[in-house]
Every structure is written in C-alpha cells, then in structure tokens.
C-alpha cells in the first residue's frame, strides 16, 4: 500500500545499474504494504548481491565484482536519498495505511464503551499524530536512520533494535490472525446455506481453509512486483466497506434510532485496544518520511492524515452504533441486512481484503530469512526454503484463527499488547532518549505522561482482553 511502487522502481534501478557495471545481481524485488518495505527492499537486493559476490570471490572472481559491489551499495544509498513524494502523495499513503481492519470494530467499540468513549478515540488519534511527528524529528536528527528499527537502534542501541523488531513481527503476526478470523466470519455469511463438511471441519472452517490455500502460492513468489496491485486493492476494499455501510444507512431502510449509552467504564480497557489498533501504522511512517521530497512537511502530513482518519472512524462508529444498537457485531459488516446488494459488496470486500495481505505482509519475514541462508545456496533452493517456511507460518496462522475465532478479543489484545507500544510508548521513549540533552520541559512532561498512560492502557487492556478471550474459550469448550 505504502511506497510500494517507489520501492519496486528503486530495486529495478539497482539491478539496471549493476548490469552496467558488468555484474549480475540476484533479482530480489520486495514489496509490502505495511512495514519498512522501501528501505529493507533495497537492502535485501544489496544483501543478496553481496552473497553472490562472496561466492564468486571464493572461486577466484573477486576483484571486479567486489569493486562493483561497492558501487552497488553506494547506489543503494543514493537511490534512497532521492525522494520525490509530494505532500498529497504522502497523505494518501498514510491514510491508506491507517484505514484497514480497525474500521470494522469502531461501531462495536463505541456501543460498548458509550458515546463518551469517542473522546478516547479522538484523544488516541491526536496522540498517535503527535508520536508520528516525533518519529519524523528522530529521522531528521539522524539521516542514517531509514526505518523504525533504525530509530530504535539510534535511541537505545542494539537492545532498541531487538525490541522494535520483536514488536514489528508480533504485530504483523497477530494482525494476520485477526484478518484470518475476519475472513472466516464473513465467508460464513457469504456462503450461508452451503453445507460443506470434511473431517472435523465445519463449513465455515473449510471455506476459510480453502481461501487461505488459494492465497498460499503467492508466498512462493520471489518477485512480488507481479502482485503489487494487491496493495492498491487493499486500500480500495477498505474504502468500499465504508461506502457500503454509509449506503446501508441512506438506502437500506434501517433506521438509525438506537440510543448509545453515555459511558460503560468497565469496558474501556478492552475497547481502548480496539481504538489504538485502528491507528496502527507507525512502523511504515519512517519510510513515508524518507520518500517525501520535502520531509519538513511530514508533521503537516501526519496532522492532515490522522484528522481525516479520525473523522472517518468517528462517523463510522456513530453510524454503526445508531443503526444496530446493542446488536452491533464486532465486525460491522456482519450486522448489515443480508438482503441488500451493498451488504453483499461489503462482505466480499471484507473477504478479499485478507487475501490481498498475506504475501505483502510476509515480505519482511522473507527478507530476513534470505539474509540468514548460506550464500552458497542455489536460487531455486532459496525459493523452496522461503516458500516452505512462509507456508508453514500461514498455516499456523490459520490454525490459530480457527481455534480462537473471537475477532474482537484478538484485535483488542493486539492493540493493547503490541500496537500501543509501537504507536505511543516507543516513539515518545525514542525521542526523549535521542533529544535528552536539549529537550525542553513541556515536551518532556508530555512524553512522560504519554508513556505512562500508554503503559497503563496497555497493561489493563491486555489483562481485560486476555481474560475475555479465555472466558470465551472456556465457554466454547464447555458447550
């Protein structure tokens, strides 16, 4: 979704350049929607190329290739330092990154938290916009930092990089579990009345398994530029879902006459995780920053983007809660009248969205894996290893999604356990550490408050969502 096309074009520039220097690098073009993809993609090309040069050097072909490798790495840095993204392009990318799975649960969160919880939603939007601004300041302070992990390393050394990397992959993994649960739930409605059973799988479980198996071959593709259109498709699907829900309110014959309770304080810890997950996207923001022609406008980009998304979420939350009241589902698409054409469109958009995510979201795993494989390994063997491990991970995600099919609890747990750290706690901590000697008292106090609030919200949200998840599992096994 974000900086995808730019990253692919940079990878191609690297390959063309290496051909001009009589080298033959391995074509590793990497594309992904949501994390560090631009800079990692370029590094992957250089990293794989370095492995090939080492292999050649061991056979006596070192001189010219090693010299070309130096030019290749230099070109990679130059390619990264020639951004051309406009202000509007950056806004479109950031908004596209933020709008996703979280929008399905905002009506449910508002209904269960009360209309006063909208202040929490708006407050978290403002806090995340501020933390996005802090990431931009950290990148400006250290031009060598290219992604979220680099900022963590700049602030706290290797420990900071390890923690940032761990949370990045945890968020990807848990988000994909949530996407697969959503796939399962919406397929059950799309094919309602169909009776398919095999082994011990129910109809909905079998349909979800078939859908995942259909998407599985995309994990074996080495050149992901061939499916880069899926990134744009993901954005369009998310926007389409919002439009269909608005269409239900206007043309669906459903009256928006349900009363929303003022405040349900006991549900705030759980819904805070749903709200914070809706603003998760900070992992890729450094790449949006480095892609901008004028990075000084990054703060304005953050303000405009988060304002737009917060308005969209607030509108959707009130719209869904007023339309369906206490019966609103944790995924708004499951509450829509099933006889309407807009409902069928929304359901199919929700079904297709996860299938556009798998290959793109797995890209960082594939990159790290290829960098750890022996340089003497043949390309075909690399592809087999990469595809096999990716397939195993995706099947593991499928098993977890079918075993724990509780969308709202898993999404809330993801937001409270992981996203709150990535979106609020870490950016504030990184900025405070990097600018410790020059930071003024007001921003210092604000950062410390946000860190404390983030830790408390994450702790209580994790406990609440974990407890609800365990209770749901206990009830399902008792029945």
């Amino acid at each position: 979704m974000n900086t995808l096309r730019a990253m692919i074009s940079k990878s191609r520039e690297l390959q063309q350049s290496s051909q001009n220097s009589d080298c033959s690098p391995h074509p590793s073009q990497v594309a992904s929607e949501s994390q560090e993809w631009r800079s990692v993609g370029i590094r992957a090309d250089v990293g794989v190329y370095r492995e090939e040069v080492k292999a050649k050097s061991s056979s006596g072909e070192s001189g010219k290739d090693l010299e070309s490798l130096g030019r290749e790495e230099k070109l990679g840095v130059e390619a990264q330092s020639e951004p051309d993204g406009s202000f509007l392009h950056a806004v479109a990318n950031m908004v596209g990154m933020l709008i996703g799975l979280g929008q399905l649960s905002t009506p449910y969160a508002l209904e269960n938290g009360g209309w006063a919880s909208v202040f929490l939603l708006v407050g978290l939007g403002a806090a995340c916009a501020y933390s996005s601004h802090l990431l931009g300041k950290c990148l400006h302070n250290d031009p060598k930092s290219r992604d979220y992990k680099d900022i963590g390393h700049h602030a706290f050394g290797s420990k900071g990089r390890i923690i940032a990397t761990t949370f990045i992959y945890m968020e990807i993994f848990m988000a994909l579990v949530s996407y697969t649960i959503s796939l399962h739930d919406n397929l059950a409605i799309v094919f309602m009345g169909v009776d398919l059973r095999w082994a011990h799988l129910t109809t909905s479980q079998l349909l979800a398994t078939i859908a995942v198996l259909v998407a599985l071959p995309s994990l074996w593709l080495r050149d992901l530029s061939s499916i880069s259109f899926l990134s744009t498709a993901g954005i369009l699907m998310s926007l389409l879902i919002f439009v269909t829900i608005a269409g239900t309110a206007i043309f669906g014959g459903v009256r928006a006459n349900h009363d929303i309770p003022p405040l349900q304080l006991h549900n705030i810890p759980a819904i805070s995780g749903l709200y914070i997950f809706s603003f998760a996207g900070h992992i890729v923001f450094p790449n949006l920053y480095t892609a901008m022609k004028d990075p000084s406008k990054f703060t304005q980009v953050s303000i405009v983007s988060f304002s737009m998304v917060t308005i969209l979420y607030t509108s959707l939350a009130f719209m869904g809660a007023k339309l369906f009241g206490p019966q609103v589902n944790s995924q708004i698409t499951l509450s829509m009248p099933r006889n309407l054409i807009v409902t069928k469109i929304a359901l199919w958009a929700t079904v297709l969205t996860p299938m556009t995510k798998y290959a793109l979201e797995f890209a960082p795993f594939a990159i790290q894996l290829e960098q750890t494989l022996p340089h003497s390994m043949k390309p075909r063997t690399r592809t087999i290893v990469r595809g096999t491990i990716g397939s195993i991970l995706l099947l593991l995600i499928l098993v977890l999604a079918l075993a724990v099919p509780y969308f709202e609890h898993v999404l809330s747990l993801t937001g409270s356990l992981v996203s709150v750290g990535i979106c609020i706690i870490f950016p504030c901590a990184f900025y405070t550490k990097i600018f410790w000697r020059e930071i003024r008292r007001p921003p210092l106090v604000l950062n410390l408050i946000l860190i404390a609030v983030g830790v408390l919200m994450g702790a209580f949200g994790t406990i609440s969502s974990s407890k609800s998840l365990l209770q749901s599992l206990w009830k399902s096994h008792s029945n």
Side-chain angles (χ1 to χ4, degrees):
M1 182 183 299
N2 301 289
T3 67
L4 186 61
R5 295 177 181 172
M7 195 205 69
I8 293 172
S9 64
K10 295 299 182 185
S11 291
R12 286 174 176 166
E13 288 176 12
L14 278 173
Q15 294 171 3
Q16 184 178 359
S17 155
S18 61
Q19 289 173 356
N20 293 337
S21 59
D22 294 325
C23 300
S24 52
H26 200 287
S28 176
Q29 296 174 336
V30 181
S32 177
E33 177 203 33
S34 63
Q35 329 290 341
E36 68 184 11
W37 315 144
R38 179 187 179 96
S39 59
V40 173
I42 294 175
R43 290 176 185 174
D45 281 331
V46 175
V48 174
Y49 181 59
R50 181 188 290 109
E51 293 174 356
E52 292 189 353
V53 171
K54 286 180 179 178
K56 288 186 177 181
S57 64
S58 64
S59 60
E61 301 178 24
S62 58
K64 190 171 183 178
D65 284 325
L66 288 173
E67 199 174 306
S68 299
L69 173 60
R71 290 196 295 271
E72 184 80 7
E73 293 189 2
K74 183 177 180 181
L75 180 74
V77 175
E78 291 174 354
Q80 286 181 312
S81 61
E82 295 177 358
D84 57 358
S86 65
F87 178 87
L88 292 178
H89 186 254
V91 169
N93 276 335
M94 187 172 287
V95 170
M97 177 63 211
L98 292 171
I99 298 175
L101 196 62
Q103 69 172 335
L104 298 178
S105 62
T106 50
Y108 172 86
L110 186 72
E111 174 65 29
N112 284 271
W115 61 260
S117 69
V118 74
F119 294 106
L120 175 61
L121 174 64
V122 174
L124 288 173
C128 289
Y130 171 71
S131 62
S132 175
H133 156 76
L134 296 184
L135 291 177
K137 291 294 184 183
C138 294
L139 290 166
H140 179 73
N141 179 263
D142 181 23
K144 294 181 181 179
S145 295
R146 310 299 301 182
D147 56 37
Y148 197 94
K149 295 184 296 183
D150 288 344
I151 299 175
H153 185 269
H154 180 48
F156 296 103
S158 58
K159 292 182 179 179
R161 178 179 290 276
I162 292 172
I163 293 174
T165 302
T166 301
F167 272 73
I168 286 172
Y169 292 138
M170 282 178 63
E171 185 173 63
I172 295 174
F173 188 85
M174 295 180 72
L176 286 177
V177 172
S178 299
Y179 270 114
T180 307
I181 295 173
S182 176
L183 175 68
H184 166 268
D185 294 344
N186 285 271
L187 275 173
I189 303 300
V190 170
F191 291 96
M192 181 173 289
V194 176
D195 187 14
L196 294 175
R197 294 179 181 272
W198 183 73
H200 297 288
L201 297 177
T202 64
T203 300
S204 59
Q205 291 175 335
L206 185 58
L207 288 171
T209 302
I210 293 172
V212 169
L213 292 176
V214 169
L216 195 63
S218 63
L219 272 62
W220 288 71
L221 294 176
R222 184 176 178 83
D223 181 6
L224 295 184
S225 62
S226 59
I227 56 170
S228 60
F229 70 93
L230 294 179
S231 179
T232 303
I235 301 176
L236 295 177
M237 294 295 177
S238 297
L239 294 176
L240 185 60
I241 292 170
F242 176 79
V243 172
T244 54
I245 295 170
T248 301
I250 299 172
F251 308 109
V254 181
R255 293 184 178 182
N257 57 0
H258 289 278
D259 292 329
I260 304 174
L263 180 65
Q264 301 192 69
L265 195 60
H266 62 285
N267 288 333
I268 294 299
I271 69 163
S272 65
L274 297 176
Y275 282 152
I276 192 66
F277 182 86
S278 302
F279 295 110
H282 289 60
I283 300 170
V284 80
F285 290 171
N287 308 108
L288 298 181
Y289 177 94
T290 56
M292 290 185 65
K293 189 174 184 179
D294 184 6
S296 64
K297 295 182 178 179
F298 182 74
T299 297
Q300 299 175 33
V301 169
S302 299
I303 294 173
V304 172
S305 301
F306 275 93
S307 298
M308 293 173 62
V309 171
T310 302
I311 292 172
L312 185 147
Y313 284 159
T314 303
S315 303
L316 184 61
F318 275 101
M319 192 187 310
K322 292 292 288 182
L323 283 172
F324 306 112
Q327 286 73 42
V328 67
N329 198 283
S330 58
Q331 300 176 68
I332 184 64
T333 52
L334 301 181
S335 298
M336 297 169 66
R338 295 170 188 172
N339 61 319
L340 299 178
I341 185 65
V342 290
T343 300
K344 300 182 187 303
I345 294 173
L347 288 171
W348 273 110
T350 310
V351 165
L352 293 175
T353 297
M355 301 183 70
T356 67
K357 305 288 184 183
Y358 292 127
L360 300 176
E361 292 280 3
F362 267 106
F365 292 103
I367 294 167
Q368 294 296 326
L369 177 61
E370 288 205 9
Q371 291 179 343
T372 59
L373 293 176
H375 59 79
S376 59
M377 187 175 291
K378 296 180 180 179
R380 184 176 180 181
T381 307
R382 287 176 176 275
T383 301
I384 294 175
V385 172
R386 165 183 170 163
T388 301
I389 294 179
S391 300
I392 292 173
L393 288 174
L394 182 54
L395 293 176
L396 175 60
I397 287 171
L398 173 64
V399 170
L400 285 175
L402 297 181
V404 191
Y406 307 106
F407 178 81
E408 66 274 22
H409 302 324
V410 174
L411 201 67
S412 177
L413 180 61
T414 304
S416 299
L417 181 63
V418 184
S419 300
V420 70
I422 292 175
C423 297
I424 296 179
I425 299 173
F426 293 164
C428 292
F430 293 162
Y431 179 87
T432 301
K433 178 64 168 62
I434 292 172
F435 292 93
W436 178 254
R437 295 183 179 180
E438 53 189 283
I439 190 173
R440 293 182 296 176
R441 180 175 291 272
L444 175 61
V445 172
L446 177 59
N447 288 352
L448 293 178
I449 290 175
L450 287 176
I451 291 173
V453 171
V455 170
L456 290 175
M457 188 169 62
F460 283 107
T462 299
I463 293 172
S464 176
S465 54
S466 298
K467 183 179 178 181
S468 299
L469 184 59
L470 291 174
Q471 288 175 345
S472 297
L473 287 171
W474 177 260
K475 288 180 181 179
S476 67
H477 287 295
S478 299
N479 295 335

